[in-house]
Each structure stands twice: as C-alpha cells, then as structure tokens.
Amino acid sequence: MQFLLILGVLGVLAQWYWVAGSLNTNNDDQVFSITPKTQAEVDVVKNVSSQYETVLWSPAAPEFIREGAEVHLFVPGNSSQAVRELLRTHGVTHAVLLANTKELIEMQTRNASTDPRSGASYYEKYHTLEDIYHWLNKTAMENPDRIKVILIGSSFEKRPLYVVKLSAISTTITNKKAIWLDCGIHAREWIAPAFCLWFVQYSLSFYETNRDIARILDNMDVYVLPVMNPDGYKYTWTMDRMWRKNRSIREDSRCAGVDLNRNFDANWCTEGASHDPCSEIFCGEFPESEPEASAVASFLRRHKETVALYVSIHSYSQMLLFPYSCTRDLAENHAELLLMAKEAALKIKRYYRNVYKYGAGAETIYLAPGGSDDWAYKLGIKYSFTFELQDRGQYGFLLPPSEIPRACKEALVALKTIALRVIEKIPPPA
Ligand code: 0X9
Ligand code: ZN
C-alpha cells in the first residue's frame, strides 16, 4: 500500500516535472534570428534545426530555408551551447530575438482566474480549450436567436469540433450565402482562436451599430470554427507550447501529428509537404486522413453552394494570402483576389500603421500543397484566403495578450473589407 502511495506521488511529480519542463518554461530558452548568406550557411542552419533539439518557428520546415531569408529558431536552454558552437564554427552569425520566452509564456497563460487584478476583458486574453468550450456554450445560450452551434465531427482524441453559425435575426431570407472562418489549424498559433472569439463577440455586440457588420450579416451567415485542432491546442497548453500539428498517432512511427494544412486534397503531398511523420509538414497517410480535416472538408462539401468566402486564420508573419499555394500557377480570378487582398492590406496600413504582405501563397510565402484554402478554392469557393496575423517575429507565437486587440482589429478590418467586396459580387438574398 505504502509502495503504491509512493509510486503514485512519484507519478504525479514526474508528470508535473514533464509538464513544467516540456512547456519550455526554462529560463535559458531563446529564439535565434539567423539569416544564412550562402548556400553553405543554409545547409548549416538546416542541419542545426534538424539535428538538435530545436523548433523552427519560421519557416515552418527546414526545406523552406533559403539564402537571404530570415530564420527564427527556438533553442531550448539545454541545446543552446551546442547550437551556438556549431554556428560559430561555420561562421554563421545569429542574433537573439527573444531571451525571455519563459516570461512570455507566463504572460500568455495568465488568465482571469490566476490573475484577478488584470483589467483586461475576456477577449484580450488567451484561453484554454476547456474555457473556449465553456465560452461557446455560454455565448450560444445567451444569444439563441443569433447563434446555432453545429457539431461537425471530432478530433483524433475525440474532442468535439463545434462550429458557431452566426446569423442576423431575420429569418425570412431563403438563399443567403455564407462565410466560413476557421481558426487554430496550427496549434501554437494562439492568436488565431483568440481572433475567432473576438470576431463572434464583435459581430454580436456591433450588429446594431456598425454598418459594415450589419451589411455582412444581413447578406451572409458566418460559420466560425474557433479551434480546428483542439488536440494540438490542448497540447500547447499542457505539454509543448511549440507544437504545430494535430496529435494523431501511428503504430509505425515514434512521431505524432499530421500538419492539417497539408492534409487536404489540393496537389496533396507534392513539393512543400513531407511523407515523414516526424516532419512539421507531414501530410498524413492520404488526403483527409485526419478527422479534423475530413470534418471540415465534409461540411464544406455539403455547403459548397452557400459558402462564398473561405477564410482561415494563422500566424505569424502578417500576410493576406490566397490560392494557389499548391502550385505556382495563377488562380483563374487571381486579379480579383489580388485586388481584394490589396484593399484589405491598405486599410490595415491606414487604420493601424502596420504592413501586411499580400499575394498568392506560392509566391508570397512558399509552395505548400494540401492546404485548406486551396482545397476550398478547388471545391468552387472562389473567394478563399489565409490570413497570417501578427507579428513579424518580434514575439512570434508568444505574442503578449496586450497585443491581442490590435492584432484582432487588423484581421477584422481585412475580413470586413473582403466580405463587403464579395457581397457586391454575389446575388442578393431574396
Ligand atoms: O504553411 C502553412 O500552412 C501556412 N503558414 S504557417 O506559418 N501558419 O504554417 C501558410 C498557408 C498558406 N496556404 C497554403 N499553404 N495552402
Ligand atoms: Zn499556421
């Protein structure tokens, strides 16, 4: 009995140690900025990022590292010396982008219950998955005439995938089009779910007073999936803040997770994705092999006549992207999409003095097949975008909560601008 008790205590301690340790709450963890100047330097950085216990923040995988392009590399304290040494031996210079990751993670995970003095609103904080499910329930109960919650499937670990359907109160309209908005495909991009919550709250609060949001909701319903990758998101709160993929496991590999944004059927697993389960851009076993991607794809297939605008929210790098990312070919309505993205970027610049790049994914960021935006486009949703929210690397995924409002306002103005343009192009509801 005593033995069992000791074993139990040890188990709890081990779990605590694991959580504290692997959440990267180490004081010595840093993020390096490295700009390789030659192909030889590119190879060194690729080597460092794949051989040492580091996490690539940007670009998403070593394959995308190029001469002259800045690399952001998370380096845990215990690999720091070896990484520095190797870079120095090969004459590769680096700057420390972030030296206080522990503090930043603490800032991000501090919430109302642990920090009662904070004056910030619910929407100016990051929330755990459980909190978000609770919010969803509460918001739906408080707004029964404007919100419907739809269960579209479940994750690999059997967590529900809930979509919020936002509508204007009037119900006589029959042929209303819709917007699809998903957040949090990638687990560590916490600003994304924060935006989905912000958007729902904004729409509910300002329908009566804001002309743009009224025009949008009068013409279109909005389907919002606040956390597309709940298992991954949960994992970033409990185990590894830097996790990107979902949490599916396979018998034939020690590595977990599929990159959900490489799992859609759009030139699936061609250049820019990987068949290696240990890669950050692992495409999975076959298109839609993952329940999260399959749930979204099935829902959109069922609603493809109504969904006129698809938007997926990611971070970081401040970009407004549109198809294609899976090929260098231009989309059939490239000019139209470019104009919409340009107008949205200009509005962000005018209102918030912040620069967002815009363009087709393949040329603006990198070739990346199997993405949800390209797949939605190929399904027939001709207005399809991926927004990469703040910032451009100052904090990266560890964007402090104090920056949430501005990041969300920027995304909101971009979304409103594009949605209003789409409304001009579609037949009005009858
Ligand atoms: O690589 C991605 O999936 C996205 N960038 S991120 O840094 N958030 O991972 C870009 C997605 C662009 N669209 C497609 N690749 N389809
Ligand atoms: Zn992403």
Side-chain angles (χ1 to χ4, degrees):
M1 176 68 190
Q2 213 171 13
F3 174 71
L4 280 181
L5 202 70
I6 292 169
L7 216 65
V9 170
L10 279 177
V12 169
L13 277 176
Q15 206 179 353
W16 174 83
Y17 176 80
W18 166 239
V19 169
S22 55
L23 253 185
N24 304 319
T25 49
N26 195 312
N27 262 330
D28 309 326
D29 300 342
Q30 296 187 325
V31 178
F32 288 2
S33 164
I34 310 165
T35 307
K37 293 187 281 295
T38 59
Q39 188 52 44
E41 292 199 3
V42 167
D43 294 340
V44 174
V45 181
K46 279 186 180 173
N47 259 343
V48 168
S49 76
S50 42
Q51 278 171 24
Y52 289 89
E53 202 199 304
T54 57
V55 184
L56 253 186
W57 272 22
S58 176
E63 295 88 308
F64 303 127
I65 297 176
R66 300 265 179 277
E67 263 176 71
E70 197 176 335
V71 172
H72 297 158
L73 185 69
F74 177 86
V75 184
N78 53 2
S79 318
S80 182
Q81 209 186 338
V83 170
R84 279 166 197 276
E85 203 92 0
L86 205 129
L87 291 174
R88 204 181 30 235
T89 321
H90 291 87
V92 180
T93 52
H94 76 275
V96 175
L97 198 63
L98 288 178
N100 57 340
T101 56
K102 177 182 152 79
E103 204 179 302
L104 290 170
I105 291 173
E106 274 170 11
M107 265 159 75
Q108 284 195 322
T109 50
R110 211 178 286 155
N111 59 35
S113 49
T114 54
D115 183 21
R117 290 157 304 151
S118 158
S121 83
Y122 186 85
Y123 301 94
E124 295 167 337
K125 293 175 189 149
Y126 297 108
H127 295 281
T128 61
L129 187 66
E130 290 70 23
D131 237 18
I132 294 175
Y133 282 135
H134 181 254
W135 165 87
L136 206 137
N137 247 317
K138 188 164 169 277
T139 310
M141 294 228 302
E142 287 170 359
N143 300 277
D145 45 1
R146 291 194 286 176
I147 279 188
K148 230 179 88 186
V149 177
I150 309 166
L151 179 69
I152 64 157
S154 54
S155 66
F156 184 86
E157 292 173 350
K158 301 282 173 270
R159 293 191 174 85
L161 296 168
Y162 290 124
V163 165
V164 170
K165 182 182 182 187
L166 257 176
S167 318
I169 294 172
S170 71
T171 51
T172 48
I173 296 166
T174 49
N175 65 336
K176 236 179 167 183
K177 295 284 184 188
I179 300 172
W180 169 275
L181 175 68
D182 62 57
C183 296
I185 289 189
H186 289 141
R188 62 194 178 184
E189 300 166 7
W190 282 11
I191 188 64
F195 174 68
C196 263
L197 270 54
W198 183 283
F199 177 80
V200 171
Q201 168 62 17
Y202 179 88
S203 305
L204 292 171
S205 307
F206 293 103
Y207 174 73
E208 269 86 20
T209 52
N210 182 284
R211 259 192 319 149
D212 292 345
I213 209 74
R215 183 160 157 71
I216 292 169
L217 287 175
D218 285 344
N219 284 279
M220 293 171 110
D221 295 325
V222 190
Y223 294 108
V224 184
L225 173 55
V227 190
M228 181 163 159
N229 176 10
D231 302 344
Y233 187 71
K234 167 101 193 171
Y235 198 72
T236 59
W237 274 83
T238 52
M239 290 296 186
D240 180 355
R241 177 65 189 85
M242 303 307 154
W243 191 257
R244 167 182 169 93
K245 302 184 284 180
N246 77 346
R247 290 295 306 162
S248 72
I249 43 175
R250 311 154 49 95
E251 273 173 14
D252 59 352
S253 175
R254 64 188 166 84
C255 293
V258 169
D259 182 348
L260 295 175
N261 216 29
R262 299 292 182 279
N263 192 235
F264 286 81
D265 200 0
N267 295 3
W268 178 79
C269 225
T270 50
E271 187 189 339
S274 168
H275 284 287
D276 173 6
C278 297
S279 164
E280 293 283 32
I281 49 170
F282 176 42
C283 57
E285 216 165 303
F286 51 87
E288 292 177 33
S289 58
E290 302 312 291
E292 299 86 351
S294 152
V296 170
S298 304
F299 182 89
L300 288 173
R301 267 191 291 266
R302 284 197 303 276
H303 293 82
K304 70 174 182 183
E305 305 308 330
T306 37
V307 177
L309 168 61
Y310 174 92
V311 180
S312 187
I313 305 291
H314 290 247
S315 77
Y316 62 93
S317 64
Q318 297 180 195
M319 289 179 186
L320 307 177
L321 305 170
F322 52 80
Y324 292 108
S325 293
C326 64
T327 163
R328 291 199 178 87
D329 296 349
L330 294 190
E332 163 261 312
N333 60 339
H334 176 88
E336 197 181 16
L337 296 170
L338 184 71
L339 213 66
M340 288 177 165
K342 181 178 178 184
E343 189 187 354
L346 282 174
K347 287 251 179 81
I348 295 178
K349 179 102 188 284
R350 189 177 322 142
Y351 294 155
Y352 304 107
R353 310 254 127 244
N354 223 355
V355 175
Y356 278 60
K357 275 199 197 176
Y358 54 89
E363 69 188 40
T364 313
I365 177 165
Y366 39 57
L367 256 185
S372 61
D373 51 358
D374 283 351
W375 177 83
Y377 184 82
K378 286 179 170 216
L379 182 72
I381 303 173
K382 290 297 168 200
Y383 303 103
S384 178
F385 295 84
T386 289
F387 293 178
E388 296 273 359
L389 307 196
Q390 276 194 42
D391 56 15
R392 288 207 288 187
Q394 187 187 356
Y395 298 107
F397 303 119
L398 303 182
L399 192 73
S402 57
E403 305 298 318
I404 295 176
R406 186 152 159 240
C408 289
K409 284 179 194 168
E410 289 172 357
L412 190 67
V413 79
L415 181 53
K416 285 205 282 190
T417 306
I418 290 172
L420 289 171
R421 286 292 174 220
V422 171
I423 287 168
E424 286 173 6
K425 291 166 192 278
I426 57 174

